[in-house]
Amino acid sequence: MSRSRQPPLVTGISPNEGIPWTKVTIRGENLGTGPTDLIGLTICGHNCLLTAEWMSASKIVCRVGQAKNDKGDIIVTTKSGGRGTSTVSFKLLKPEKIGILDQSAVWVDEMNYYDMRTDRNKGIPPLSLRPANPLGIEIEKSKFSQKDLEMLFHGMSADFTSENFSAAWYLIENHSNTSFEQLKMAVTNLKRQANKKSEGSLAYVKGGLSTFFEAQDALSAIHQKLEADGTEKVEGSMTQKLENVLNRASNTADTLFQEVLGRKDKADSTRNALNVLQRFKFLFNLPLNIERNIQKGDYDVVINDYEKAKSLFGKTEVQVFKKYYAEVETRIEALRELLLDKLLETPSTLHDQKRYIRYLSDLHASGDPAWQCIGAQHKWILQLMHSCKEGYVKDLKGNPGLHSPMLDLDNDTRPSVLGHLSQTASLKRGSSFQSGRDDTWRYKTPHRVAFVEKLTKLVLSQLPNFWKLWISYVNGSLFSETAEKSGQIERSKNVRQRQNDFKKMIQEVMHSLVKLTRGALLPLSIRDGEAKQYGGWEVKCELSGQWLAHAIQTVRLTHESLTALEIPNDLLQTIQDLILDLRVRCVMATLQHTAEEIKRLAEKEDWIVDNEGLTSLEQRLLIVLSNCCYLERHTFLNIAEHFEKHNFQGIEKITQVSMASLKELDQRLFENYIELKADPIVGSLEPGIYAGYFDWKDCLPPTGVRNYLKEALVNIIAVHAEVFTISKELVPRVLSKVIEAVSEELSRLMQCVSSFSKNGALQARLEICALRDTVAVYLTPESKSSFKQALEALPQLSSGADKKLLEELLNKFKSSMHLQLTCFQAASSTMMKT
């Protein structure tokens, strides 16, 4: 795997030499992206990671530890860049060896003094031996609370002997009111102390010069006396006496300082123990710190401390360190169990799942926690789906009507792609599918439809995160870089098996979604053995086509949302099959409902028309004829248009058969109505013509149109009014047929007359022309032919006087019946406009 950053490079260290535990500042490039990225730091071969403090990618502060090499490189190791190199080196100086009873002309810094007897360095002295005022000026305590200072300088300390010493904190706490001049004096004092330390042995010689002279004089005097005493006597010799004096002095000193030296040894032991505790306090405090950070939820801190302790003490042979490290491992194992429980806890967010998986991978948890989480989420989704069904079935049995308010999807505020379904339930259907009910039907959702909406919303709220969790598992983004390296080979071996298992999980979710939906909407499509698990609704009435269409839209939107997740189509095929079956069922339910509604039209129709003199049968015939016209011109066309829009097959044949049946019904009804209306008018013509023993051969000169024709026209006008009241579109069709029957009868009567007198021929021509001109707008080729045959049966007018008389009488007739004939004139103007 290629690294995202360059290896660390150390280009400078300040100071570049010093004794052990000297605080140094390391500078360079690519020194890490943060404290957790720094995993190694050695100076002269000694591991300094414990005291390291990462400041930035170009700066690290630490203390130099004990090292075997006097001079060596500074090596930085990071997670992101690996092991680095160095262009500079550090020189480790040996501290001056001063015994505890040795004389010194200067103050010995007991921060790192040397014990001649044990030949080893000592640690930090007790607080009582530390200088109380390193600046050498008067201390003035501030009024700032300790808590405020700790919050301001988080992780720092005002103790100048601490590794995290903060000069700003020390000055605020002890010299907040000190003048600038005094602070300058403090700087001078610090420089003087530093110069004294740098003088070394020269300062010792200068300070103890008189002592050296006195010692020289004493040694010279002893030498002279020894030369003057040249006796061979052993007893009483000066050297023997001196030896005895020295032995007595030694015994007396031992007696005097026995207790003091014992306390000194005990103090040294205590000091050494404190030094070890101070140096390795990280390990000793780690179990307690782990518990505290776990309680606070700072798992990143726990993991970082554990990795550091593992790198420092994981392979230690020191018993006390092994004991404390074993305690750390015990706490970490408890943390692994806690994180695994939280990971498998449901419900949980995708963010929390990824976080816990990363923690467990960093802690090198056994097994495959990520796959365990996927399995737990799969079971949780299935449990939610079946619990949703059980809840709705239980509520249905308790409230067999509409679903209760607590199940109303409008009260569910969770975001979902189906949130707008309650406002678009009509599927934007055409006018032929529109219901006459008001919008309150949307709030009376049947239990089964509400269940499907809630079920699909539940799946869409859980499955996307489930799918994203799987994608993250496959591409390795769930794991940290370290965990990815260690587990990459094992996961690559199981990836094919995992893919097959996950595919089965998705198939099981899709199977449950489809089966639960079928159990609610299409109960007959599931097997008897699955009825109890996926059905159990026990409803007596079927869902209407409108609610089935609403459910289809819900399932289709669910399919679109799942497709957007890039789930393979073969896993979604069962949903497509469900949509097809629902569409077929919706069409069948709609057509069955429509057929039943049509059968009940006669029961629902009130047949009320405000028109006196019209029989109930004639009203119904006209209304049905009008409905047939509307069906032919609008309803059937709308149905065919919607079928074509939704890609239904065989629409042409369905339309043709439906239109043929409708036209057959219309023609039968029309013929019956014409028979009811035309027969009385036609039957009144012959009696009217020959009323009063009228004879065409012997009649008076005509003075106007006779009453029988006026009565026939009035009856035709009555038919016009009756039809116009119901449907004005039927008027031309009805009147043209009535006039055909009247003209045909009139032509027959004229052809039956053997001969006409002059006056009879003129009277007949007047009445035929009056009727023809009055209803001219409704004449058909058949009626025109009948009028022509009737006129041809009459003798032709021989004189101009007869023609003039005919024209005058026609005008007189039209003028006298102008009001009655207005309906024909209005129809004429309307037809001309159209």
Side-chain angles (χ1 to χ4, degrees), residues 690-711:
Y690 296 106
Y693 302 101
F694 180 80
D695 188 3
W696 296 108
K697 299 178 182 178
D698 183 15
C699 60
L700 298 174
T703 57
V705 176
R706 289 185 293 167
N707 291 333
Y708 82 92
L709 187 60
K710 294 179 181 181
E711 182 181 350

Side-chain angles (χ1 to χ4, degrees), residues 87 102 123 158 172 198 209 229 275 376 513 521 618 636 668 715 764:
T87 61
D102 291 345
I172 293 175
S198 64
L209 188 60
D229 185 14
N275 186 24
L513 173 63
L521 305 179
E618 293 169 359
F636 278 6
R668 289 170 57 190
N715 290 333

Side-chain angles (χ1 to χ4, degrees), residues 505-778:
M505 291 181 181
I506 295 294
Q507 287 176 339
E508 188 174 359
V509 173
M510 296 297 104
H511 174 80
S512 297
L513 173 63
V514 171
K515 288 293 184 180
L516 288 171
T517 305
R518 287 183 178 275
L521 305 179
L522 304 171
L524 298 179
S525 64
I526 60 176
R527 295 192 295 266
D528 295 338
E530 299 175 337
K532 183 177 180 181
Q533 183 179 2
Y534 300 105
W537 292 93
E538 298 180 2
V539 290
K540 297 181 180 179
C541 58
E542 293 291 335
L543 289 173
S544 65
Q546 189 178 31
W547 284 117
L548 286 172
H550 180 81
I552 290 172
Q553 187 186 27
T554 302
V555 179
R556 287 182 62 186
L557 288 174
T558 303
H559 181 270
E560 293 174 3
S561 300
L562 296 178
T563 304
L565 293 176
E566 299 182 356
I567 297 178
N569 290 331
D570 58 331
L571 299 179
L572 302 178
Q573 184 60 42
T574 55
I575 299 182
Q576 295 178 352
D577 296 339
L578 171 64
I579 293 174
L580 178 61
D581 292 345
L582 285 174
R583 291 175 68 181
V584 172
R585 179 57 191 163
C586 178
V587 172
M588 292 178 61
T590 303
L591 295 177
Q592 290 174 358
H593 178 73
T594 303
E596 293 173 359
E597 289 293 320
I598 292 175
K599 292 178 182 178
R600 291 195 294 265
L601 279 178
E603 302 173 3
K604 295 182 178 180
E605 184 64 69
D606 54 15
W607 309 102
I608 298 176
V609 178
D610 189 10
N611 186 11
E612 297 182 359
L614 189 63
T615 65
S616 175
L617 178 60
E618 293 169 359
Q619 284 183 348
R620 296 183 181 185
L621 286 174
L622 280 176
I623 292 173
V624 174
L625 284 173
S626 176
N627 290 340
C628 289
C629 292
Y630 187 85
L631 285 173
E632 180 180 358
R633 298 180 183 181
H634 300 283
T635 305
F636 278 6
L637 296 179
N638 286 339
I639 293 175
E641 180 181 351
H642 279 78
F643 279 168
E644 291 178 359
K645 181 179 179 180
H646 293 87
N647 299 322
F648 277 85
Q649 303 297 325
I651 302 305
E652 254 183 65
K653 184 176 181 180
I654 295 174
T655 306
Q656 291 176 358
V657 173
S658 302
M659 286 291 190
S661 300
L662 180 65
K663 288 180 179 179
E664 181 182 357
L665 172 63
D666 177 81
Q667 186 63 31
R668 289 170 57 190
L669 295 174
F670 182 74
E671 290 175 356
N672 290 333
Y673 183 76
I674 294 301
E675 183 178 352
L676 289 173
K677 291 299 177 183
D679 286 357
I681 300 175
V682 170
S684 65
L685 289 179
E686 186 173 2
I689 290 175
Y690 296 106
Y693 302 101
F694 180 80
D695 188 3
W696 296 108
K697 299 178 182 178
D698 183 15
C699 60
L700 298 174
T703 57
V705 176
R706 289 185 293 167
N707 291 333
Y708 82 92
L709 187 60
K710 294 179 181 181
E711 182 181 350
L713 283 172
V714 170
N715 290 333
I716 294 174
I717 292 172
V719 174
H720 178 283
E722 176 183 327
V723 177
F724 188 85
T725 302
I726 303 300
S727 174
K728 63 180 180 180
E729 295 179 355
L730 285 175
V731 171
R733 183 185 178 191
V734 172
L735 288 188
S736 60
K737 286 296 182 181
V738 172
I739 292 170
E740 281 183 9
V742 173
S743 61
E744 181 180 357
E745 177 65 14
L746 191 59
S747 173
R748 184 187 67 80
L749 292 175
M750 293 298 105
Q751 292 176 6
C752 291
V753 178
S754 57
S755 61
F756 293 88
S757 63
K758 177 181 178 182
N759 292 335
L762 185 59
Q763 182 71 42
R765 188 176 294 276
L766 171 63
E767 293 171 352
I768 293 173
C769 290
L771 179 60
R772 183 194 63 185
D773 294 346
T774 300
V775 298
V777 69
Y778 298 115

Side-chain angles (χ1 to χ4, degrees), residues 15-155:
N16 59 3
E17 61 181 13
I19 63 174
W21 307 113
T22 299
K23 190 174 184 179
V24 297
T25 300
I26 301 172
R27 299 189 180 277
E29 302 174 356
N30 304 319
L31 301 184
T33 60
T36 59
D37 195 35
L38 181 64
I39 61 176
L41 174 60
T42 60
I43 300 178
C44 297
H46 179 74
N47 191 348
C48 302
L49 181 62
L50 189 62
T51 61
E53 182 179 3
W54 187 89
M55 308 300 290
S56 66
S58 59
K59 180 180 178 182
I60 297 176
V61 177
C62 71
R63 288 188 180 272
V64 180
Q66 295 283 358
K68 297 180 180 180
N69 302 326
D70 295 336
K71 190 174 183 180
D73 293 335
I74 301 94
I75 304 300
V76 177
T77 306
T78 63
K79 292 181 180 179
S80 59
R83 180 181 174 87
T85 57
S86 173
T87 61
V88 296
S89 61
F90 182 85
K91 183 178 181 181
L92 188 65
L93 302 177
K94 293 184 178 180
E96 184 180 359
K97 298 181 179 181
I98 302 175
I100 190 169
L101 298 179
D102 291 345
Q103 183 180 10
S104 175
V106 296
W107 178 262
V108 178
D109 185 6
E110 293 191 359
M111 288 291 289
N112 202 340
Y113 75 96
Y114 196 85
D115 190 344
M116 297 291 292
R117 294 176 300 169
T118 59
D119 193 27
R120 59 185 181 184
N121 286 329
K122 300 299 180 178
I124 298 175
L127 295 176
S128 60
L129 298 179
R130 299 177 184 176
N133 187 5
L135 298 182
I137 59 176
E138 184 180 358
I139 295 177
E140 298 178 5
K141 292 292 183 177
S142 67
K143 297 180 180 180
F144 293 98
S145 66
Q146 191 72 12
K147 184 178 293 185
D148 294 339
L149 291 173
E150 290 177 357
M151 294 179 61
L152 182 61
F153 301 97
H154 181 69

